[in-house]
Amino acid sequence: MERKQRDFLWIPTFAVLVAFAVPWPLWGVDLIVAGLPVWVWWHIAWLGLCALLFTRFVRSGAWERGMGLHASSSAAAERATDPIGRGDEP
């Protein structure tokens, strides 16, 4: 039950990521940093943060649980049904 509650924390997390994907706090700011507008740096940092959080989301198994899949049991079942010989071997 605790794991499901933690899974639901991903919903507001992704809502915040979507809300701040557009650099609305920087609207009207003409500041240039290292030759690029500051809103470009915002996007670079935001994409890095999104990649990090998406990695954590995938590793947590929340997607599989939300879709009704059991990552650990499906991986074990897949290994059990895989034939020993692969590729061109009969």
Side-chain angles (χ1 to χ4, degrees):
M1 188 67 175
E2 181 181 325
R3 178 165 261 177
K4 278 201 166 236
Q5 290 174 345
R6 281 188 285 159
D7 289 349
F8 284 117
L9 288 176
W10 286 110
I11 295 170
T13 301
F14 284 118
V16 169
L17 286 178
V18 169
F20 286 97
V22 176
W24 56 266
L26 298 174
W27 286 355
V29 176
D30 294 332
L31 183 65
I32 303 290
V33 176
L36 294 174
V38 71
W39 61 268
V40 172
W41 294 112
W42 173 279
H43 278 295
I44 292 170
W46 205 252
L47 288 174
L49 178 65
C50 289
L52 176 71
L53 287 176
F54 188 71
T55 301
R56 292 189 61 127
F57 173 71
V58 169
R59 289 186 179 168
S60 72
W63 176 257
E64 286 84 7
R65 286 188 297 278
M67 299 304 291
L69 304 172
H70 299 285
S72 60
S73 63
S74 65
E78 184 176 314
R79 273 184 264 134
T81 59
D82 279 349
I84 294 174
R86 290 184 165 188
D88 294 336
E89 296 179 18

